[in-house]
Amino acid sequence: NIPSVTLDDLLKESQHKQIAIKLDVEGNEFAALEGAKNTIKKLRPIFIIECTNAQTSHNCSEFLKERGYIFYIINDSSF
């Protein structure tokens, strides 16, 4: 069992004015975003998210669009 903490808990006392967050959490990207709702409101971070399937990509993009983000998809199908 791996201990975890939400981004909101991790960054609740952050004094940063702007941050970037890279999410690569093997299918748990949407849950990670849900755990960052307050961080999103407070800091409006830049997100770089690796989504492993179309449904996760859709869920993440809709979640961010609802909060005023622009979502770009970068697809490298050469692998």
Side-chain angles (χ1 to χ4, degrees):
N1 201 8
I2 300 171
S4 62
V5 63
T6 66
L7 289 169
D8 282 346
D9 286 341
L10 183 65
L11 298 168
K12 66 183 167 191
E13 296 181 22
S14 176
Q15 299 299 315
H16 294 86
K17 293 182 180 177
Q18 183 66 46
I19 61 172
I21 298 172
K22 181 183 185 297
L23 294 179
D24 183 359
V25 289
E26 303 302 321
N28 293 297
E29 294 79 12
F30 185 70
L33 287 174
E34 286 186 311
K37 288 179 182 176
N38 293 328
T39 299
I40 290 169
K41 286 180 189 175
K42 178 182 173 187
L43 299 175
R44 299 282 303 159
I46 297 167
F47 283 101
I48 301 166
I49 305 170
E50 181 178 337
C51 295
T52 56
N53 62 60
Q55 185 63 51
T56 299
S57 179
H58 173 78
N59 291 345
C60 290
S61 67
E62 290 303 310
F63 181 91
L64 292 171
K65 285 177 186 177
E66 288 171 3
R67 286 153 181 81
Y69 278 81
I70 298 171
F71 193 86
Y72 297 97
I73 296 175
I74 302 170
N75 184 6
D76 185 355
S77 59
S78 65
F79 292 105

